[in-house]
Amino acid sequence: NMMKAKGVWDLVQSYVILKESGKSVKYHFVGKWSDITEEQFTTEVHKKRLKEDVFAHGAKYGDEKDSFLQKANVFVFPTHYSNECFPLVLLEAMEKGIPCISTSEGGIPAIIENGKTGYIVDKHSPKAVAEKIEYLMEHPEQCAAMGKAGKEKFLKEFTLDKFENRIKDILTECYSRAGGSAQEALQ
């Protein structure tokens, strides 16, 4: 979602930092307009003279969203949303082999292994976001390795089968603690 609390303006500012240091990057924002409207975003991008490299595409779903992920080199989600729980968008990026940069909000540290599958940066830190993006740009082998590690972690821990098995194990354990059998728990 295009929300202030999801770090949209921090990400825009990270672009400004990279541009000022002479780096050539393109930012593509994908998400449903929320407390940031399309008009507000466009106005800010034009005011900062970023319209050649910073784009907002609105909400995308299914194949359209996959198309954006497949073209991405890095996925950045600098959220400071207080109700952030376990953002599936990070899992979607990891499934595609994209290294992720995010914050320690909610369950994100259980998703991103800092330095291995991506980076966790401080909230409200466009400079840290820019530094991590720049590092990955300058170290494409590290970027590819993080993407590969993220995909492996996704396949090992976050597929639907893994989720179902974890739920089954939790229910079995809870039921057996309550005096029931494992077979009864699964019925």
Side-chain angles (χ1 to χ4, degrees), residues 119-150:
Y119 293 109
I120 295 178
V121 298
D122 290 336
K123 295 177 226 176
H124 305 288
S125 185
K127 185 176 185 221
V129 170
E131 288 170 355
K132 296 304 183 189
I133 291 170
E134 182 175 7
Y135 178 84
L136 291 173
M137 287 173 63
E138 293 176 353
H139 298 87
E141 68 290 340
Q142 181 67 23
C143 187
M146 283 185 160
K148 182 179 178 192

PDB file of all heavy atoms in Angstrom, residues 119-150:
ATOM      1  N   TYR A 119      18.865  -7.115   3.853  1.00  0.00           N
ATOM      2  CA  TYR A 119      19.321  -6.257   4.943  1.00  0.00           C
ATOM      3  C   TYR A 119      18.138  -5.726   5.734  1.00  0.00           C
ATOM      4  O   TYR A 119      17.090  -5.421   5.172  1.00  0.00           O
ATOM      5  CB  TYR A 119      20.115  -5.063   4.409  1.00  0.00           C
ATOM      6  CG  TYR A 119      21.420  -5.449   3.781  1.00  0.00           C
ATOM      7  CD1 TYR A 119      21.605  -5.364   2.409  1.00  0.00           C
ATOM      8  CD2 TYR A 119      22.476  -5.910   4.570  1.00  0.00           C
ATOM      9  CE1 TYR A 119      22.807  -5.722   1.827  1.00  0.00           C
ATOM     10  CE2 TYR A 119      23.681  -6.272   3.993  1.00  0.00           C
ATOM     11  CZ  TYR A 119      23.841  -6.177   2.623  1.00  0.00           C
ATOM     12  OH  TYR A 119      25.032  -6.532   2.046  1.00  0.00           O
ATOM     13  N   ILE A 120      18.365  -5.593   7.028  1.00  0.00           N
ATOM     14  CA  ILE A 120      17.414  -4.918   7.907  1.00  0.00           C
ATOM     15  C   ILE A 120      18.071  -3.609   8.321  1.00  0.00           C
ATOM     16  O   ILE A 120      19.205  -3.607   8.822  1.00  0.00           O
ATOM     17  CB  ILE A 120      17.050  -5.784   9.123  1.00  0.00           C
ATOM     18  CG1 ILE A 120      16.304  -7.032   8.641  1.00  0.00           C
ATOM     19  CG2 ILE A 120      16.237  -4.982  10.130  1.00  0.00           C
ATOM     20  CD1 ILE A 120      15.926  -8.012   9.710  1.00  0.00           C
ATOM     21  N   VAL A 121      17.370  -2.513   8.065  1.00  0.00           N
ATOM     22  CA  VAL A 121      17.890  -1.181   8.380  1.00  0.00           C
ATOM     23  C   VAL A 121      17.001  -0.530   9.437  1.00  0.00           C
ATOM     24  O   VAL A 121      15.878  -0.976   9.683  1.00  0.00           O
ATOM     25  CB  VAL A 121      17.959  -0.291   7.114  1.00  0.00           C
ATOM     26  CG1 VAL A 121      18.916  -0.881   6.091  1.00  0.00           C
ATOM     27  CG2 VAL A 121      16.595  -0.072   6.505  1.00  0.00           C
ATOM     28  N   ASP A 122      17.514   0.529  10.029  1.00  0.00           N
ATOM     29  CA  ASP A 122      16.716   1.281  10.999  1.00  0.00           C
ATOM     30  C   ASP A 122      15.520   1.937  10.308  1.00  0.00           C
ATOM     31  O   ASP A 122      15.605   2.332   9.142  1.00  0.00           O
ATOM     32  CB  ASP A 122      17.563   2.368  11.659  1.00  0.00           C
ATOM     33  CG  ASP A 122      18.623   1.801  12.585  1.00  0.00           C
ATOM     34  OD1 ASP A 122      18.454   0.668  13.089  1.00  0.00           O
ATOM     35  OD2 ASP A 122      19.644   2.492  12.791  1.00  0.00           O
ATOM     36  N   LYS A 123      14.441   2.065  11.051  1.00  0.00           N
ATOM     37  CA  LYS A 123      13.265   2.774  10.545  1.00  0.00           C
ATOM     38  C   LYS A 123      13.609   4.241  10.323  1.00  0.00           C
ATOM     39  O   LYS A 123      14.478   4.787  11.013  1.00  0.00           O
ATOM     40  CB  LYS A 123      12.114   2.667  11.553  1.00  0.00           C
ATOM     41  CG  LYS A 123      11.616   1.252  11.743  1.00  0.00           C
ATOM     42  CD  LYS A 123      10.534   1.214  12.801  1.00  0.00           C
ATOM     43  CE  LYS A 123      10.820   0.060  13.736  1.00  0.00           C
ATOM     44  NZ  LYS A 123       9.901  -0.008  14.841  1.00  0.00           N
ATOM     45  N   HIS A 124      12.916   4.855   9.374  1.00  0.00           N
ATOM     46  CA  HIS A 124      13.112   6.274   9.059  1.00  0.00           C
ATOM     47  C   HIS A 124      14.565   6.569   8.688  1.00  0.00           C
ATOM     48  O   HIS A 124      15.117   7.590   9.107  1.00  0.00           O
ATOM     49  CB  HIS A 124      12.697   7.168  10.233  1.00  0.00           C
ATOM     50  CG  HIS A 124      11.296   6.949  10.708  1.00  0.00           C
ATOM     51  ND1 HIS A 124      10.202   7.344   9.979  1.00  0.00           N
ATOM     52  CD2 HIS A 124      10.827   6.365  11.839  1.00  0.00           C
ATOM     53  CE1 HIS A 124       9.109   7.014  10.653  1.00  0.00           C
ATOM     54  NE2 HIS A 124       9.457   6.421  11.770  1.00  0.00           N
ATOM     55  N   SER A 125      15.184   5.681   7.924  1.00  0.00           N
ATOM     56  CA  SER A 125      16.591   5.855   7.596  1.00  0.00           C
ATOM     57  C   SER A 125      16.838   5.746   6.091  1.00  0.00           C
ATOM     58  O   SER A 125      17.395   4.761   5.613  1.00  0.00           O
ATOM     59  CB  SER A 125      17.427   4.816   8.353  1.00  0.00           C
ATOM     60  OG  SER A 125      18.790   5.054   8.136  1.00  0.00           O
ATOM     61  N   PRO A 126      16.420   6.782   5.337  1.00  0.00           N
ATOM     62  CA  PRO A 126      16.661   6.755   3.893  1.00  0.00           C
ATOM     63  C   PRO A 126      18.135   6.592   3.532  1.00  0.00           C
ATOM     64  O   PRO A 126      18.472   5.951   2.540  1.00  0.00           O
ATOM     65  CB  PRO A 126      16.133   8.104   3.404  1.00  0.00           C
ATOM     66  CG  PRO A 126      15.258   8.614   4.487  1.00  0.00           C
ATOM     67  CD  PRO A 126      15.722   7.983   5.764  1.00  0.00           C
ATOM     68  N   LYS A 127      19.014   7.166   4.373  1.00  0.00           N
ATOM     69  CA  LYS A 127      20.450   7.049   4.102  1.00  0.00           C
ATOM     70  C   LYS A 127      20.898   5.595   4.172  1.00  0.00           C
ATOM     71  O   LYS A 127      21.651   5.123   3.316  1.00  0.00           O
ATOM     72  CB  LYS A 127      21.244   7.903   5.087  1.00  0.00           C
ATOM     73  CG  LYS A 127      22.725   7.909   4.781  1.00  0.00           C
ATOM     74  CD  LYS A 127      23.487   8.842   5.705  1.00  0.00           C
ATOM     75  CE  LYS A 127      24.934   8.858   5.239  1.00  0.00           C
ATOM     76  NZ  LYS A 127      25.874   8.848   6.297  1.00  0.00           N
ATOM     77  N   ALA A 128      20.436   4.858   5.171  1.00  0.00           N
ATOM     78  CA  ALA A 128      20.803   3.439   5.289  1.00  0.00           C
ATOM     79  C   ALA A 128      20.242   2.632   4.122  1.00  0.00           C
ATOM     80  O   ALA A 128      20.914   1.752   3.597  1.00  0.00           O
ATOM     81  CB  ALA A 128      20.313   2.873   6.621  1.00  0.00           C
ATOM     82  N   VAL A 129      19.021   2.950   3.710  1.00  0.00           N
ATOM     83  CA  VAL A 129      18.428   2.273   2.550  1.00  0.00           C
ATOM     84  C   VAL A 129      19.286   2.536   1.320  1.00  0.00           C
ATOM     85  O   VAL A 129      19.642   1.607   0.581  1.00  0.00           O
ATOM     86  CB  VAL A 129      16.969   2.725   2.318  1.00  0.00           C
ATOM     87  CG1 VAL A 129      16.439   2.216   0.983  1.00  0.00           C
ATOM     88  CG2 VAL A 129      16.065   2.252   3.458  1.00  0.00           C
ATOM     89  N   ALA A 130      19.645   3.796   1.103  1.00  0.00           N
ATOM     90  CA  ALA A 130      20.466   4.158  -0.054  1.00  0.00           C
ATOM     91  C   ALA A 130      21.817   3.444  -0.012  1.00  0.00           C
ATOM     92  O   ALA A 130      22.290   2.939  -1.042  1.00  0.00           O
ATOM     93  CB  ALA A 130      20.658   5.672  -0.110  1.00  0.00           C
ATOM     94  N   GLU A 131      22.425   3.377   1.157  1.00  0.00           N
ATOM     95  CA  GLU A 131      23.723   2.702   1.286  1.00  0.00           C
ATOM     96  C   GLU A 131      23.623   1.219   0.923  1.00  0.00           C
ATOM     97  O   GLU A 131      24.507   0.682   0.242  1.00  0.00           O
ATOM     98  CB  GLU A 131      24.260   2.856   2.715  1.00  0.00           C
ATOM     99  CG  GLU A 131      24.739   4.255   3.021  1.00  0.00           C
ATOM    100  CD  GLU A 131      25.036   4.484   4.490  1.00  0.00           C
ATOM    101  OE1 GLU A 131      24.777   3.576   5.332  1.00  0.00           O
ATOM    102  OE2 GLU A 131      25.541   5.581   4.824  1.00  0.00           O
ATOM    103  N   LYS A 132      22.563   0.557   1.361  1.00  0.00           N
ATOM    104  CA  LYS A 132      22.402  -0.876   1.060  1.00  0.00           C
ATOM    105  C   LYS A 132      22.114  -1.087  -0.424  1.00  0.00           C
ATOM    106  O   LYS A 132      22.641  -2.023  -1.042  1.00  0.00           O
ATOM    107  CB  LYS A 132      21.305  -1.499   1.923  1.00  0.00           C
ATOM    108  CG  LYS A 132      21.609  -1.483   3.413  1.00  0.00           C
ATOM    109  CD  LYS A 132      22.926  -2.151   3.750  1.00  0.00           C
ATOM    110  CE  LYS A 132      23.180  -2.186   5.243  1.00  0.00           C
ATOM    111  NZ  LYS A 132      24.516  -2.640   5.580  1.00  0.00           N
ATOM    112  N   ILE A 133      21.293  -0.232  -1.008  1.00  0.00           N
ATOM    113  CA  ILE A 133      21.028  -0.339  -2.448  1.00  0.00           C
ATOM    114  C   ILE A 133      22.327  -0.125  -3.221  1.00  0.00           C
ATOM    115  O   ILE A 133      22.654  -0.891  -4.142  1.00  0.00           O
ATOM    116  CB  ILE A 133      19.945   0.664  -2.892  1.00  0.00           C
ATOM    117  CG1 ILE A 133      18.582   0.268  -2.312  1.00  0.00           C
ATOM    118  CG2 ILE A 133      19.867   0.735  -4.420  1.00  0.00           C
ATOM    119  CD1 ILE A 133      17.498   1.315  -2.503  1.00  0.00           C
ATOM    120  N   GLU A 134      23.070   0.904  -2.843  1.00  0.00           N
ATOM    121  CA  GLU A 134      24.335   1.196  -3.528  1.00  0.00           C
ATOM    122  C   GLU A 134      25.299   0.018  -3.401  1.00  0.00           C
ATOM    123  O   GLU A 134      25.956  -0.371  -4.367  1.00  0.00           O
ATOM    124  CB  GLU A 134      24.962   2.467  -2.952  1.00  0.00           C
ATOM    125  CG  GLU A 134      26.247   2.858  -3.643  1.00  0.00           C
ATOM    126  CD  GLU A 134      26.814   4.192  -3.152  1.00  0.00           C
ATOM    127  OE1 GLU A 134      26.283   4.769  -2.185  1.00  0.00           O
ATOM    128  OE2 GLU A 134      27.800   4.630  -3.753  1.00  0.00           O
ATOM    129  N   TYR A 135      25.387  -0.561  -2.218  1.00  0.00           N
ATOM    130  CA  TYR A 135      26.274  -1.712  -2.019  1.00  0.00           C
ATOM    131  C   TYR A 135      25.885  -2.851  -2.955  1.00  0.00           C
ATOM    132  O   TYR A 135      26.747  -3.452  -3.610  1.00  0.00           O
ATOM    133  CB  TYR A 135      26.235  -2.183  -0.560  1.00  0.00           C
ATOM    134  CG  TYR A 135      27.105  -3.393  -0.350  1.00  0.00           C
ATOM    135  CD1 TYR A 135      28.475  -3.249  -0.117  1.00  0.00           C
ATOM    136  CD2 TYR A 135      26.578  -4.674  -0.417  1.00  0.00           C
ATOM    137  CE1 TYR A 135      29.291  -4.360   0.046  1.00  0.00           C
ATOM    138  CE2 TYR A 135      27.387  -5.790  -0.261  1.00  0.00           C
ATOM    139  CZ  TYR A 135      28.737  -5.628  -0.031  1.00  0.00           C
ATOM    140  OH  TYR A 135      29.545  -6.738   0.110  1.00  0.00           O
ATOM    141  N   LEU A 136      24.601  -3.154  -3.034  1.00  0.00           N
ATOM    142  CA  LEU A 136      24.159  -4.255  -3.894  1.00  0.00           C
ATOM    143  C   LEU A 136      24.377  -3.937  -5.369  1.00  0.00           C
ATOM    144  O   LEU A 136      24.683  -4.836  -6.162  1.00  0.00           O
ATOM    145  CB  LEU A 136      22.699  -4.603  -3.597  1.00  0.00           C
ATOM    146  CG  LEU A 136      22.469  -5.238  -2.228  1.00  0.00           C
ATOM    147  CD1 LEU A 136      20.980  -5.393  -1.943  1.00  0.00           C
ATOM    148  CD2 LEU A 136      23.194  -6.568  -2.098  1.00  0.00           C
ATOM    149  N   MET A 137      24.238  -2.667  -5.745  1.00  0.00           N
ATOM    150  CA  MET A 137      24.521  -2.258  -7.127  1.00  0.00           C
ATOM    151  C   MET A 137      26.000  -2.475  -7.457  1.00  0.00           C
ATOM    152  O   MET A 137      26.336  -2.918  -8.556  1.00  0.00           O
ATOM    153  CB  MET A 137      24.193  -0.769  -7.323  1.00  0.00           C
ATOM    154  CG  MET A 137      22.722  -0.441  -7.355  1.00  0.00           C
ATOM    155  SD  MET A 137      22.432   1.359  -7.388  1.00  0.00           S
ATOM    156  CE  MET A 137      23.203   1.822  -8.941  1.00  0.00           C
ATOM    157  N   GLU A 138      26.857  -2.156  -6.511  1.00  0.00           N
ATOM    158  CA  GLU A 138      28.297  -2.250  -6.739  1.00  0.00           C
ATOM    159  C   GLU A 138      28.848  -3.659  -6.535  1.00  0.00           C
ATOM    160  O   GLU A 138      30.004  -3.926  -6.890  1.00  0.00           O
ATOM    161  CB  GLU A 138      29.031  -1.258  -5.830  1.00  0.00           C
ATOM    162  CG  GLU A 138      28.734   0.184  -6.205  1.00  0.00           C
ATOM    163  CD  GLU A 138      29.367   1.194  -5.269  1.00  0.00           C
ATOM    164  OE1 GLU A 138      29.947   0.791  -4.229  1.00  0.00           O
ATOM    165  OE2 GLU A 138      29.272   2.399  -5.567  1.00  0.00           O
ATOM    166  N   HIS A 139      28.036  -4.545  -5.965  1.00  0.00           N
ATOM    167  CA  HIS A 139      28.448  -5.926  -5.707  1.00  0.00           C
ATOM    168  C   HIS A 139      27.382  -6.883  -6.256  1.00  0.00           C
ATOM    169  O   HIS A 139      26.655  -7.522  -5.486  1.00  0.00           O
ATOM    170  CB  HIS A 139      28.657  -6.149  -4.211  1.00  0.00           C
ATOM    171  CG  HIS A 139      29.739  -5.301  -3.635  1.00  0.00           C
ATOM    172  ND1 HIS A 139      29.524  -4.018  -3.175  1.00  0.00           N
ATOM    173  CD2 HIS A 139      31.071  -5.538  -3.488  1.00  0.00           C
ATOM    174  CE1 HIS A 139      30.655  -3.513  -2.748  1.00  0.00           C
ATOM    175  NE2 HIS A 139      31.618  -4.401  -2.930  1.00  0.00           N
ATOM    176  N   PRO A 140      27.280  -6.977  -7.572  1.00  0.00           N
ATOM    177  CA  PRO A 140      26.224  -7.806  -8.165  1.00  0.00           C
ATOM    178  C   PRO A 140      26.307  -9.279  -7.767  1.00  0.00           C
ATOM    179  O   PRO A 140      25.266  -9.945  -7.669  1.00  0.00           O
ATOM    180  CB  PRO A 140      26.416  -7.623  -9.674  1.00  0.00           C
ATOM    181  CG  PRO A 140      27.769  -7.038  -9.854  1.00  0.00           C
ATOM    182  CD  PRO A 140      28.113  -6.332  -8.579  1.00  0.00           C
ATOM    183  N   GLU A 141      27.520  -9.762  -7.491  1.00  0.00           N
ATOM    184  CA  GLU A 141      27.644 -11.159  -7.055  1.00  0.00           C
ATOM    185  C   GLU A 141      27.020 -11.353  -5.674  1.00  0.00           C
ATOM    186  O   GLU A 141      26.370 -12.362  -5.410  1.00  0.00           O
ATOM    187  CB  GLU A 141      29.111 -11.615  -7.081  1.00  0.00           C
ATOM    188  CG  GLU A 141      30.027 -10.960  -6.061  1.00  0.00           C
ATOM    189  CD  GLU A 141      30.370  -9.480  -6.268  1.00  0.00           C
ATOM    190  OE1 GLU A 141      30.240  -8.946  -7.380  1.00  0.00           O
ATOM    191  OE2 GLU A 141      30.769  -8.839  -5.269  1.00  0.00           O
ATOM    192  N   GLN A 142      27.177 -10.371  -4.797  1.00  0.00           N
ATOM    193  CA  GLN A 142      26.556 -10.429  -3.470  1.00  0.00           C
ATOM    194  C   GLN A 142      25.034 -10.305  -3.597  1.00  0.00           C
ATOM    195  O   GLN A 142      24.292 -10.988  -2.911  1.00  0.00           O
ATOM    196  CB  GLN A 142      27.114  -9.326  -2.563  1.00  0.00           C
ATOM    197  CG  GLN A 142      26.543  -9.315  -1.169  1.00  0.00           C
ATOM    198  CD  GLN A 142      26.947 -10.532  -0.346  1.00  0.00           C
ATOM    199  OE1 GLN A 142      27.943 -11.174  -0.618  1.00  0.00           O
ATOM    200  NE2 GLN A 142      26.161 -10.845   0.656  1.00  0.00           N
ATOM    201  N   CYS A 143      24.594  -9.437  -4.485  1.00  0.00           N
ATOM    202  CA  CYS A 143      23.162  -9.266  -4.734  1.00  0.00           C
ATOM    203  C   CYS A 143      22.550 -10.586  -5.199  1.00  0.00           C
ATOM    204  O   CYS A 143      21.520 -11.022  -4.685  1.00  0.00           O
ATOM    205  CB  CYS A 143      22.952  -8.162  -5.778  1.00  0.00           C
ATOM    206  SG  CYS A 143      21.231  -7.709  -6.049  1.00  0.00           S
ATOM    207  N   ALA A 144      23.209 -11.251  -6.146  1.00  0.00           N
ATOM    208  CA  ALA A 144      22.710 -12.535  -6.658  1.00  0.00           C
ATOM    209  C   ALA A 144      22.737 -13.606  -5.571  1.00  0.00           C
ATOM    210  O   ALA A 144      21.794 -14.402  -5.452  1.00  0.00           O
ATOM    211  CB  ALA A 144      23.536 -12.970  -7.865  1.00  0.00           C
ATOM    212  N   ALA A 145      23.802 -13.616  -4.760  1.00  0.00           N
ATOM    213  CA  ALA A 145      23.901 -14.608  -3.686  1.00  0.00           C
ATOM    214  C   ALA A 145      22.802 -14.415  -2.647  1.00  0.00           C
ATOM    215  O   ALA A 145      22.214 -15.393  -2.156  1.00  0.00           O
ATOM    216  CB  ALA A 145      25.282 -14.534  -3.026  1.00  0.00           C
ATOM    217  N   MET A 146      22.512 -13.163  -2.315  1.00  0.00           N
ATOM    218  CA  MET A 146      21.430 -12.891  -1.351  1.00  0.00           C
ATOM    219  C   MET A 146      20.083 -13.311  -1.929  1.00  0.00           C
ATOM    220  O   MET A 146      19.253 -13.870  -1.215  1.00  0.00           O
ATOM    221  CB  MET A 146      21.401 -11.414  -0.983  1.00  0.00           C
ATOM    222  CG  MET A 146      22.454 -11.001  -0.025  1.00  0.00           C
ATOM    223  SD  MET A 146      22.220  -9.262   0.433  1.00  0.00           S
ATOM    224  CE  MET A 146      23.151  -9.236   1.946  1.00  0.00           C
ATOM    225  N   GLY A 147      19.867 -13.018  -3.200  1.00  0.00           N
ATOM    226  CA  GLY A 147      18.623 -13.434  -3.834  1.00  0.00           C
ATOM    227  C   GLY A 147      18.468 -14.941  -3.817  1.00  0.00           C
ATOM    228  O   GLY A 147      17.395 -15.469  -3.502  1.00  0.00           O
ATOM    229  N   LYS A 148      19.548 -15.651  -4.115  1.00  0.00           N
ATOM    230  CA  LYS A 148      19.524 -17.123  -4.098  1.00  0.00           C
ATOM    231  C   LYS A 148      19.258 -17.638  -2.685  1.00  0.00           C
ATOM    232  O   LYS A 148      18.446 -18.542  -2.489  1.00  0.00           O
ATOM    233  CB  LYS A 148      20.856 -17.667  -4.629  1.00  0.00           C
ATOM    234  CG  LYS A 148      20.904 -19.166  -4.684  1.00  0.00           C
ATOM    235  CD  LYS A 148      22.236 -19.672  -5.231  1.00  0.00           C
ATOM    236  CE  LYS A 148      22.225 -21.195  -5.217  1.00  0.00           C
ATOM    237  NZ  LYS A 148      23.528 -21.760  -5.458  1.00  0.00           N
ATOM    238  N   ALA A 149      19.931 -17.048  -1.700  1.00  0.00           N
ATOM    239  CA  ALA A 149      19.724 -17.462  -0.301  1.00  0.00           C
ATOM    240  C   ALA A 149      18.287 -17.188   0.145  1.00  0.00           C
ATOM    241  O   ALA A 149      17.690 -17.984   0.878  1.00  0.00           O
ATOM    242  CB  ALA A 149      20.709 -16.744   0.618  1.00  0.00           C
ATOM    243  N   GLY A 150      17.735 -16.079  -0.320  1.00  0.00           N
ATOM    244  CA  GLY A 150      16.348 -15.764   0.018  1.00  0.00           C
ATOM    245  C   GLY A 150      15.385 -16.768  -0.591  1.00  0.00           C
ATOM    246  O   GLY A 150      14.428 -17.207   0.070  1.00  0.00           O
TER     247      GLY A 150
END
